[in-house]
Amino acid sequence: MNESIFHLLNELSVAEIQVLSSDLLRDSIQSVKAVSNDPIQFYELISFELLQNDITIYTPKMDVVSLPDGSTALDFAFFLDPSIAIRMYGAKVNGEPKHLYTKLKDMDLVEILIEGHETVVEDWLNHVQTSKAMKEINMKLNNC
């Protein structure tokens, strides 16, 4: 049974909730600031980060990753390890080969498929949802 975040929060003290929410907000703001200095784009990105629904994704080792609904295999790869993500050419989702732009669904099992060389292209920015992925892709594109 899936329990809502509100049910889980009932188990924490007020002080623990304040620390948790402060840390989450600080992390989100820092990630979004790294993507954009434009106030309107910042507002849109931070609103998306804070108000999104999450999905649970599993690694082949059954580690749990929480990502925004609508995230792609690329978002998953950048969440796990940007040095692997920049060499990505595809993914296996629930054992089936899929494109790296494949949108993931709750409870998917995802394996990242990589090449021996970097594969980052500007079009990746059109297929990611997370500010971390956007930031890492922009950094890689600007350094080349």
Side-chain angles (χ1 to χ4, degrees), residues 41-58:
Q41 187 177 22
F42 175 85
Y43 172 78
E44 290 172 354
L45 286 169
I46 198 70
S47 296
F48 177 77
E49 290 270 328
L50 295 176
L51 301 176
Q52 65 199 350
N53 291 322
D54 285 344
I55 56 174
T56 300
I57 306 299
Y58 293 94

Side-chain angles (χ1 to χ4, degrees), residues 32-46:
V32 172
K33 274 185 178 177
V35 174
S36 176
N37 289 325
D38 175 14
I40 293 173
Q41 187 177 22
F42 175 85
Y43 172 78
E44 290 172 354
L45 286 169
I46 198 70

Side-chain angles (χ1 to χ4, degrees), residues 18-130:
Q18 289 173 337
V19 169
L20 177 64
S21 59
S22 177
D23 289 347
L24 289 171
L25 184 58
R26 185 175 24 266
D27 290 347
S28 290
I29 289 172
Q30 292 304 319
S31 292
V32 172
K33 274 185 178 177
V35 174
S36 176
N37 289 325
D38 175 14
I40 293 173
Q41 187 177 22
F42 175 85
Y43 172 78
E44 290 172 354
L45 286 169
I46 198 70
S47 296
F48 177 77
E49 290 270 328
L50 295 176
L51 301 176
Q52 65 199 350
N53 291 322
D54 285 344
I55 56 174
T56 300
I57 306 299
Y58 293 94
T59 69
K61 293 181 180 179
M62 298 309 291
D63 293 324
V64 176
V65 173
S66 182
L67 290 172
D69 191 16
S71 292
T72 63
L74 267 174
D75 289 298
F76 176 77
F78 278 103
F79 178 87
L80 290 178
D81 187 345
S83 67
I84 291 173
I86 62 173
R87 300 181 324 181
M88 183 177 180
Y89 72 88
K92 283 188 179 177
V93 179
N94 302 320
E96 298 289 323
K98 299 289 183 179
H99 195 275
L100 55 128
Y101 300 158
T102 299
K103 287 193 178 185
L104 302 176
K105 296 187 279 306
D106 196 36
M107 307 306 244
D108 278 345
L109 174 74
V110 181
E111 178 183 350
I112 303 305
L113 304 175
I114 60 172
E115 306 240 19
H117 61 279
E118 293 180 5
T119 57
V120 178
V121 294
E122 191 170 353
D123 188 48
W124 284 12
L125 291 168
N126 297 319
H127 301 281
V128 292
Q129 297 292 318
T130 61

